């Protein structure tokens, strides 16, 4: 994701994307399973973790890159703040998101799945299982006769 500041200012707090003590694998599974349903929930802010993040002060003309899966929060100030966000989804990010979403479903069924990135062949299977399940869901939810 890229954030471009157009007017006003804001502070962006970004945390290490691989630190699972900030955002757990379970949180990512819940996020991605709800994300694909377009019902994305936010995590609860934990002030005790604040010192582990990095703060970027954005003013007009500044831009910032958000690494994939980087936890963040944005502090706006009383004046107007206008920014423009561009999100890119690569095949790698889609596969990672699908693996987390499938993991959440597998846990509901009582399995203990491997984490994305641990076993590439399993991640590929999860990605294709996810695509098939989404296609079947779309097919059975179609409003056409």
């Amino acid at each position: 994701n890229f954030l471009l500041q157009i007017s006003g200012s804001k502070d962006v707090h970004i945390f290490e994307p691989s630190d699972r003590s900030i955002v757990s694998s379970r949180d990512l599974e819940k996020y991605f399973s709800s994300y694909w349903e377009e019902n994305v929930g936010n995590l609860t802010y934990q002030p005790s973790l604040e010192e582990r993040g990095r703060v970027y002060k954005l003013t007009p003309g500044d831009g910032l890159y958000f690494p994939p899966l980087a936890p963040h929060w944005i502090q706006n100030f009383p004046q107007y703040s206008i920014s423009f966000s561009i999100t890119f989804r690569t095949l790698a990010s889609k596969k990672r998101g699908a693996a987390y979403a499938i993991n959440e479903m597998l846990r509901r069924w009582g399995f203990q799945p491997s984490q994305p990135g641990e076993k590439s062949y399993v991640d590929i299977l999860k990605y294709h299982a996810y695509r098939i399940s989404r296609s079947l869901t779309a097919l059975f939810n179609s409003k056409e006769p």
Side-chain angles (χ1 to χ4, degrees):
N1 192 44
F2 292 95
L3 180 68
L4 307 171
Q5 188 66 23
I6 297 169
S7 178
S9 63
K10 62 179 58 170
D11 287 350
V12 179
H13 303 248
I14 298 182
F15 300 84
E16 176 59 42
S18 61
D19 187 343
R20 293 294 153 252
S21 67
I22 295 174
V23 176
S24 71
S25 292
R26 292 295 304 232
D27 288 332
L28 289 171
E29 290 170 7
K30 291 174 187 170
Y31 170 81
F32 280 105
S33 65
S34 67
Y35 175 83
W36 302 115
E37 296 166 9
E38 298 185 20
N39 183 22
V40 180
N42 291 322
L43 297 172
T44 302
Y45 171 67
Q46 299 177 46
S48 61
L49 300 174
E50 187 59 37
E51 65 187 33
R52 294 166 61 185
R54 186 164 179 190
V55 180
Y56 296 91
K57 298 185 178 300
L58 297 185
T59 58
D62 292 337
L64 185 61
Y65 168 71
F66 291 73
L69 305 181
H72 61 277
W73 71 277
I74 298 174
Q75 179 178 12
N76 288 307
F77 301 106
Q79 79 276 11
Y80 287 101
S81 176
I82 300 171
S83 55
F84 180 72
S85 178
I86 304 169
T87 301
F88 292 93
R89 304 236 188 281
T90 64
L91 182 56
S93 67
K94 289 177 183 178
K95 285 181 179 179
R96 183 174 41 248
Y100 277 116
I102 291 293
N103 278 2
E104 198 274 334
M105 181 175 47
L106 290 171
R107 284 189 202 284
R108 280 189 272 141
W109 293 343
F111 292 97
Q112 296 298 316
S114 62
Q115 292 302 305
E118 286 181 3
K119 299 176 183 173
S120 60
Y121 67 94
V122 174
D123 288 349
I124 291 168
L125 290 173
K126 288 176 183 175
Y127 173 68
H128 290 295
Y130 175 79
R131 291 184 64 210
I132 290 168
S133 70
R134 295 291 294 165
S135 295
L136 290 173
T137 299
L139 178 67
F140 289 113
N141 288 337
S142 174
K143 296 186 191 252
E144 293 183 29

